[in-house]
């Protein structure tokens, strides 16, 4: 399925870490697997052109922010290549995003996860701007379809210069939508695998 069931990068390789992270931060394990596959293809040493590192492609600046309360003197950015450190910090970040967004509990899980993923990829500030714009126009700001539409509009000067927009212009909506679509597709694949007890 999806070209990832090889001996080298089968998700079971990180099963124990993912299970632990999923329970600690209440993030679906299938989502964690899907993000890892999409971000790095299960390559622990992956590094992007922008400097994102490791399995879940954490940025060094995010590492410094999200790990600041761990109170450990031995933390350094190179630890992002360590699978457990990378997965746990990314899980913590996903949980923090979810907490910050305050999405209604009645929101469908697909919308909730899609909005969280958009924040992970495109930045929480831009997504919050899009939700604020949607709310001001009486639309459902917990709907990913609606939020995605307003993210796209943030490339328009008439929109991003609005008083409702606090994080400026956003030109990455196409990339963010593609990212969300890809991760959610893999999330569904992993959910089926869990049902079939393949992972």
């Amino acid at each position: 399925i999806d070209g990832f069931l090889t001996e080298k990068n089968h998700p079971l390789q990180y099963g124990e870490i993912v299970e632990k992270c999923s329970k600690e931060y209440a993030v679906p394990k299938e989502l964690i697997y899907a993000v890892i596959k999409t971000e790095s293809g299960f390559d622990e040493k992956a590094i992007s052109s922008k400097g994102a590192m490791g399995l879940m492609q954490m940025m060094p600046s995010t590492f410094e922010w999200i790990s600041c309360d761990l109170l450990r003197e031995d933390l350094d950015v190179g630890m992002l290549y360590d699978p457990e450190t990378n997965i746990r910090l990314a899980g913590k970040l996903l949980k923090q995003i979810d907490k910050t967004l305050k999405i209604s509990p009645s929101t469908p899980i697909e919308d909730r996860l899609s909005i969280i993923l958009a924040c992970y990829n495109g930045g929480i500030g831009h997504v919050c701007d899009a939700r604020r714009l949607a709310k001001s126009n009486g639309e459902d700001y917990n709907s990913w379809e609606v939020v995605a539409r307003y993210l796209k509009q943030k490339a328009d000067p008439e929109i991003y210069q609005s008083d409702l927009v606090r994080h400026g212009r956003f030109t990455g909506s196409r990339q963010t939508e593609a990212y969300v679509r890809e991760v959610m597709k893999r999330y569904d694949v992993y959910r089926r695998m869990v049902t079939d007890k393949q992972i």
Side-chain angles (χ1 to χ4, degrees), residues 15-199:
E16 187 176 333
I17 301 170
V18 171
E19 288 280 358
K20 183 178 179 181
C21 178
S22 176
K23 291 176 182 176
E24 185 174 3
Y25 297 116
V27 177
K29 66 179 181 179
E30 302 91 344
L31 185 72
I32 297 171
Y33 286 132
V35 172
I36 293 173
K37 172 60 181 176
T38 304
E39 291 283 2
S40 69
F42 291 92
D43 180 0
E44 299 170 9
K45 302 301 182 185
I47 184 165
S48 76
S49 59
K50 294 183 179 180
M53 301 165 65
L55 288 171
M56 297 182 76
Q57 291 290 277
M58 294 282 287
M59 290 294 291
S61 57
T62 306
F63 167 81
E64 292 171 6
W65 169 67
I66 205 73
S67 64
C68 66
D69 64 345
L70 297 181
L71 302 177
R72 285 177 51 190
E73 295 180 1
D74 62 335
L75 287 173
D76 69 81
V77 74
M79 293 179 71
L80 284 176
Y81 289 125
D82 172 64
E84 182 166 4
T85 300
N86 193 285
I87 291 171
R88 289 193 66 205
L89 290 179
K92 182 178 179 181
L93 175 60
L94 289 167
K95 178 65 175 179
Q96 185 61 46
I97 290 170
D98 188 19
K99 183 178 177 181
T100 301
L101 292 173
K102 298 178 181 177
I103 297 173
S104 169
S106 63
T107 300
I109 187 67
E110 291 79 8
D111 285 303
R112 183 187 202 89
L113 294 182
S114 293
I115 292 171
I116 291 170
L117 289 169
C119 293
Y120 191 87
N121 178 262
I124 192 169
H126 292 302
V127 174
C128 286
D129 280 345
R131 295 182 77 213
R132 199 176 298 112
L133 288 164
K135 185 178 181 180
S136 72
N137 286 303
E139 296 192 63
D140 183 3
Y141 58 96
N142 290 319
S143 161
W144 168 235
E145 181 182 356
V146 171
V147 171
R149 177 157 37 86
Y150 280 98
L151 269 179
K152 190 177 298 183
Q153 291 181 24
K154 282 197 65 190
D156 183 344
E158 290 187 13
I159 302 298
Y160 71 72
Q161 292 174 2
S162 161
D163 291 339
L164 292 169
V165 173
R166 299 172 187 170
H167 298 274
R169 186 183 183 202
F170 185 64
T171 59
S173 64
R174 184 176 296 179
Q175 175 187 334
T176 295
E177 284 187 68
Y179 176 83
V180 170
R181 189 163 50 248
E182 194 68 22
V183 175
M184 289 302 292
K185 180 179 72 175
R186 287 179 170 137
Y187 168 72
D188 287 337
V189 169
Y190 283 120
R191 281 200 303 173
R192 290 196 297 273
M193 290 180 68
V194 168
T195 300
D196 296 338
K197 298 186 177 180
Q198 295 182 53
I199 58 173

